[in-house]
């Protein structure tokens, strides 16, 4: 009987897992990933809000159901699993363990005391699988839980510091895990300044009309092709002229970047055929498109300068002005976070010499294009693209228990200063300026004037081209001998019949994510919700749309789930 280990990254936008043969030199057997997060909502705050309203047990059930699906899709015998290691932020790991979460929701000490909340330690630990309710592995298997540093800074942030070896650097450097919940850490004179901003899902390709995660078929990069200069006067030949033709690069089944079609940006007409078909655009493609669009003048924030206000990409994929606004909010949050940490550390943004870029978005993005729009500091000399550090950390823990205890030692001894962006007046002011720039078209000159007025450092220009070092070809470097499986539908279904519902479909049509369905039965109208598609309990557009005020979202999402066929 084989001895297997499971490594799990419980990410904010989705889960990733790998099966490892512990008897065959820790050989990776397979990889499985979800196409989105199983809980309602677009970010970690939405997930926390759901757990508070629907109940910790309900949120845990949804998460563990998804974890079990990931394990099942690893194509390994669950009975052979002896170890499982997880990595993620404090909210995800707390929901996984089914432990207190209210200390993560309320910052005030008096509020927590009034509620009788005792914050759990969230330290490194090994527990038997039987203590994780509902987990479908042998009850005596070991489950490895990595430590948090404090509050918002959890195992995933610690993982990116350890996996990049950032803490050993003698230069000022920053590491950023780009995604729905951007964790960032700035190292200055041996002190780590940390922050976390719920930038929104656009950097993962979500909340974008044709967006999706970094999956096969996703456009991960674009570039405008140079115009034919054969008939251009000599005095203009040094100018980088662009045509109306845009080329897409698409992830294949092995998560490698393959050329897609080149099309006319106005119409989508194919000008030359590529090697791969696209089904959507991921966050890195969005970053590249905005960067290229700004350079080519097809994008003049907040407008897209085409006939229909949309940029047409290959295979019918389009990018709209609404998408531009959504992406701008996420990009602005990253730059505001970097600037805020620099203010906290007493340095200028251009003092940062090295940048580490982690996560799927940080791996597949064209780093120079990302730098041009402000998500990588302007004066760095070196950019390292390092892949999924959270999954790598979980994998290392499964392979060697000492890694867990070394992680604890680092967490205990870390000289760090955490900035709560949600309570930071510096972040608030800078992010308002970012929103004004991205959503209203505030000129950069005016932006700079406001920064000076507030006593903040100005935005610096890019003065040289940094060296870009891709340490991995893809965010999960080794997919294993059985390769990758994608779980396209991770969402639990919940069903209910509301008394006196007349089936006018207003709740269905109002749902922005098409998470609801309705079926007429003999005893009434049955409403089904896909939790993974739901925008979260803060949305409630379905409730507000109900003319008879009988729709209750909490009643719906807390009904007994359907069993998987």
């Amino acid at each position: 009987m084989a001895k297997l280990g499971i490594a799990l990254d419980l990410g904010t936008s989705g889960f990733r897992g790998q099966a490892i043969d512990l008897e065959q030199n820790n050989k990776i057997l397979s990889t499985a990933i979800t196409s989105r997060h199983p809980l309602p909502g677009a970010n970690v705050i939405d997930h926390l809000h759901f757990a508070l309203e629907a109940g910790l047990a309900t949120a845990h059930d949804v998460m563990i159901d998804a974890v079990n699906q990931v394990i099942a899709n690893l194509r390994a015998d669950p009975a052979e699993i002896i170890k499982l290691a997880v990595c993620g932020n404090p909210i995800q790991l707390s929901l996984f363990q089914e432990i207190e979460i209210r200390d993560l929701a309320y910052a005030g000490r008096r509020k927590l005391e009034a509620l009788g909340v005792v914050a759990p330690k969230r330290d490194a630990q090994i527990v038997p699988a039987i203590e994780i309710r509902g987990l479908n592995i042998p009850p005596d298997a070991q489950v490895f839980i990595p430590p948090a540093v404090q509050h918002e800074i959890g195992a995933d942030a610690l993982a990116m510091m350890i996996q990049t070896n950032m803490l050993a650097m003698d230069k000022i450097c920053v590491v950023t895990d780009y995604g729905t919940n951007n964790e960032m850490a700035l190292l200055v004179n041996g002190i780590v300044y940390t922050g976390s901003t719920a930038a929104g899902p656009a950097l993962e390709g979500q909340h974008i009309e044709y967006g999706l995660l970094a999956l096969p078929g996703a456009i991960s990069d674009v570039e405008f092709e140079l115009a034919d200069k054969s008939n251009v006067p000599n005095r203009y030949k040094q100018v980088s002229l662009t045509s109306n033709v845009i080329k897409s690069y698409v992830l294949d089944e092995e998560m490698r970047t393959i050329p897609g079609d080149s099309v006319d940006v106005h119409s989508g007409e194919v000008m030359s055929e590529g090697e791969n078909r696209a089904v959507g655009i991921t966050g890195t493609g969005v970053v590249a498109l905005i960067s290229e669009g700004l350079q080519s003048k097809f994008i003049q924030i907040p407008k897209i300068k085409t006939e229909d206000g949309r940029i047409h990409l290959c295979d019918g994929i389009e990018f709209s002005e609404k998408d531009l606004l959504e992406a701008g909010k996420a990009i602005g949050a990253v730059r505001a976070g970097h600037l805020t940490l620099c203010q906290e550390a007493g340095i200028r943004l251009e003092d940062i010499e090295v940048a580490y870029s982690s996560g799927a978005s940080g791996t597949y993005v064209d780093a120079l294009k990302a730098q041009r729009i402000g998500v990588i500091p302007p004066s760095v000399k070196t950019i390292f693209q390092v892949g999924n550090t959270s999954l790598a950390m979980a994998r290392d823990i499964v392979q060697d228990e000492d890694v867990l205890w070394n992680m604890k030692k680092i967490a205990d001894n870390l000289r760090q200063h955490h900035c709560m962006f949600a309570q930071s007046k510096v972040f608030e002011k800078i992010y308002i300026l970012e929103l004004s720039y991205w959503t209203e078209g505030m000129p950069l000159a005016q932006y700079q004037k406001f920064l000076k007025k507030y006593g903040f450092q100005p935005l610096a220009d890019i003065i040289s081209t940094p060296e870009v070092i891709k340490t991995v070809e893809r965010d999960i470097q080794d997919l294993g001998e059985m390769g990758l499986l994608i779980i396209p539908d991770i969402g639990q279904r919940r069903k209910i019949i509301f008394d006196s519902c007349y089936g006018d479909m207003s709740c269905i049509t109002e749902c922005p994510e098409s998470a609801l369905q309705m079926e007429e039965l003999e005893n009434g109208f049955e409403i089904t919700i896909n939790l993974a598609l739901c925008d979260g309990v803060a949305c409630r557009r379905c409730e507000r749309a109900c003319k008879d005020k009988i729709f209750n979202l909490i009643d719906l999402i807390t009904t007994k789930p359907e069993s998987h066929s």
Side-chain angles (χ1 to χ4, degrees):
M1 184 174 177
K3 293 181 179 180
L4 301 181
I6 303 294
L8 285 177
D9 166 29
L10 303 179
T12 305
S13 58
F15 296 169
R16 291 167 169 82
Q18 291 194 302
I20 301 161
D21 189 333
L22 301 177
E23 293 184 316
Q24 297 292 325
N25 296 318
N26 295 318
K27 179 174 64 176
I28 297 173
L29 300 175
S30 58
T31 302
I33 65 178
T34 68
S35 60
R36 58 193 306 126
H37 198 283
L39 290 176
N43 56 57
V44 70
I45 303 303
D46 287 340
H47 301 158
L48 181 59
H49 193 180
F50 172 81
L52 292 170
E53 292 231 14
L56 176 60
T58 297
H60 171 80
D61 288 344
V62 174
M63 176 172 280
I64 294 300
D65 178 70
V67 167
N68 287 335
Q69 288 188 62
V70 171
I71 293 172
N73 279 275
L74 287 172
R75 295 145 284 168
D77 184 355
E80 297 179 343
I81 297 171
I82 64 169
K83 293 181 180 181
L84 182 149
V86 295
C87 195
N89 65 49
I91 291 173
Q92 307 296 340
L93 293 187
S94 296
L95 296 178
F96 174 82
Q97 290 182 267
E98 202 174 1
I99 61 175
E100 179 66 76
I101 56 170
R102 289 175 294 172
D103 62 308
L104 301 173
Y106 309 112
R109 181 172 56 84
R110 291 183 179 178
K111 173 73 171 179
L112 295 176
E113 289 177 352
L115 292 171
V117 174
V118 177
K121 193 171 172 64
R122 295 194 177 88
D123 204 353
Q125 56 186 299
I126 303 173
V127 301
I130 196 171
E131 292 190 13
I132 308 298
R133 184 172 59 84
L135 187 60
N136 188 25
I137 64 174
D140 58 347
Q142 293 178 305
V143 178
F144 295 78
I145 312 291
V149 179
Q150 70 169 55
H151 201 63
E152 287 185 345
I153 300 303
D156 54 346
L158 194 56
M160 70 181 184
M161 296 182 219
I162 294 171
Q163 291 289 323
T164 59
N165 203 31
M166 164 200 183
L167 298 173
M169 291 288 290
D170 58 1
K171 299 177 181 178
I172 296 177
C173 57
V174 66
V175 56
T176 308
D177 187 354
Y178 293 96
T180 302
N181 192 53
N182 278 271
E183 289 87 13
M184 52 187 70
L186 173 69
L187 178 66
V188 181
N189 296 326
I191 300 175
V192 177
Y193 298 82
T194 55
S196 177
T197 173
L203 292 181
E204 296 277 11
Q206 298 183 67
H207 279 199
I208 301 295
E209 184 178 356
Y210 288 87
L212 75 163
L213 297 177
L215 301 170
I219 296 172
S220 62
D221 195 7
V222 303
E223 60 184 24
F224 279 91
E225 297 185 341
L226 293 178
D228 181 4
K229 296 184 180 181
S230 59
N231 296 318
V232 176
N234 286 334
R235 64 182 181 276
Y236 294 130
K237 282 193 175 180
Q238 299 305 313
V239 179
S240 180
L241 299 177
T242 56
S243 67
N244 293 342
V245 178
I246 188 167
K247 188 174 191 63
S248 298
Y249 294 86
V250 185
L251 295 178
D252 69 3
E253 294 299 323
E254 296 296 320
M255 300 294 283
R256 289 186 288 258
T257 302
I258 304 297
D261 292 346
S262 297
V263 304
D264 183 279
V265 70
H266 293 285
S267 65
E269 178 186 356
V270 177
M271 310 306 291
S272 63
E273 292 188 1
E275 302 170 33
N276 206 4
R277 302 270 68 82
V279 296
I281 183 168
T282 193
T284 62
V286 169
V287 167
L289 181 55
I290 293 174
S291 179
E292 290 283 281
L294 287 169
Q295 283 212 318
S296 66
K297 308 300 184 185
F298 279 110
I299 292 178
Q300 296 178 26
I301 298 170
K303 297 295 183 181
I304 293 177
K305 297 297 182 177
T306 59
E307 294 177 5
D308 59 359
R310 303 170 78 87
I311 292 178
H312 295 261
L313 302 168
C314 65
D315 301 302
I317 311 302
E318 299 176 5
F319 186 78
S320 68
E321 290 179 351
K322 182 180 178 182
D323 295 332
L324 177 61
L325 295 179
E326 192 70 32
K329 290 184 288 186
I331 294 165
V334 175
R335 182 159 61 182
H338 287 160
L339 285 166
T340 301
L341 289 187
C342 287
Q343 289 288 135
E344 292 283 329
I347 67 167
R348 297 171 73 87
L349 194 62
E350 54 264 41
D351 292 334
I352 301 174
E353 298 179 71
V354 180
Y356 296 94
S357 181
S358 69
S361 293
T363 302
Y364 295 115
V365 76
D366 183 313
L368 300 182
K369 293 171 185 172
Q371 187 186 44
R372 286 204 298 261
I373 62 173
V375 294
I376 292 177
S379 300
V380 296
K381 297 180 177 63
T382 311
I383 301 170
F384 291 94
Q385 295 179 273
V386 296
N388 186 317
T389 53
S390 186
L391 182 62
M393 196 81 243
R395 191 168 58 241
D396 287 351
I397 292 170
V398 162
Q399 295 171 355
D400 183 359
E401 180 182 324
D402 288 343
V403 172
L404 178 69
W405 306 122
N406 184 57
M407 198 176 182
K408 170 181 166 52
K409 187 183 300 183
I410 292 172
D412 291 343
N413 296 329
L414 189 65
R415 294 176 60 206
Q416 64 89 35
H417 172 82
H418 181 62
C419 179
M420 292 277 289
F421 289 158
Q423 299 177 353
S424 168
K425 293 298 182 183
V426 174
F427 181 85
E428 178 185 354
K429 289 179 178 179
I430 296 175
Y431 189 49
I432 288 173
L433 293 179
E434 288 287 344
L435 289 179
S436 298
Y437 170 73
W438 285 104
T439 67
E440 299 174 14
M442 171 191 278
L444 277 176
Q446 188 175 354
Y447 187 132
Q448 297 279 39
K449 287 181 180 179
F450 274 106
L451 287 175
K452 184 177 181 180
K453 176 183 176 182
Y454 295 146
F456 301 152
Q457 58 178 290
L459 295 177
D461 294 326
I462 298 172
I463 56 176
S464 61
T465 301
E467 180 185 12
V468 178
I469 301 173
K470 290 182 75 77
T471 63
V472 292
E473 182 184 6
R474 51 196 174 201
D475 68 317
I476 305 174
Q477 182 67 0
D478 184 354
L479 297 176
E481 63 181 23
M482 289 187 281
L484 172 69
L485 271 186
I486 298 167
I487 307 169
D489 184 2
I490 198 70
Q492 273 196 2
R493 268 57 168 193
R494 306 287 175 104
K495 294 185 175 184
I496 199 169
I497 295 176
F498 290 116
D499 292 338
S500 304
C501 174
Y502 296 104
D504 68 355
M505 300 286 288
S506 56
C507 57
I508 309 297
T509 56
E510 187 64 22
C511 178
E513 299 298 327
S514 301
L516 298 172
Q517 293 180 334
M518 181 180 288
E519 182 181 1
E520 185 175 4
L521 304 178
E522 290 183 2
N523 58 336
F525 292 91
E526 183 179 65
I527 296 174
T528 302
I529 187 169
N530 182 331
L531 293 183
L533 296 180
C534 176
D535 229 0
V537 295
C539 173
R540 278 189 159 92
R541 287 170 62 172
C542 48
E543 277 192 5
R544 293 193 296 272
C546 182
K547 299 179 179 64
D548 299 308
K549 304 304 176 186
I550 58 174
F551 190 107
N552 187 300
L553 181 62
I554 299 300
D555 285 351
L556 173 56
I557 62 182
T558 54
T559 57
K560 185 178 179 180
E562 286 189 318
S563 60
H564 294 289
S565 56

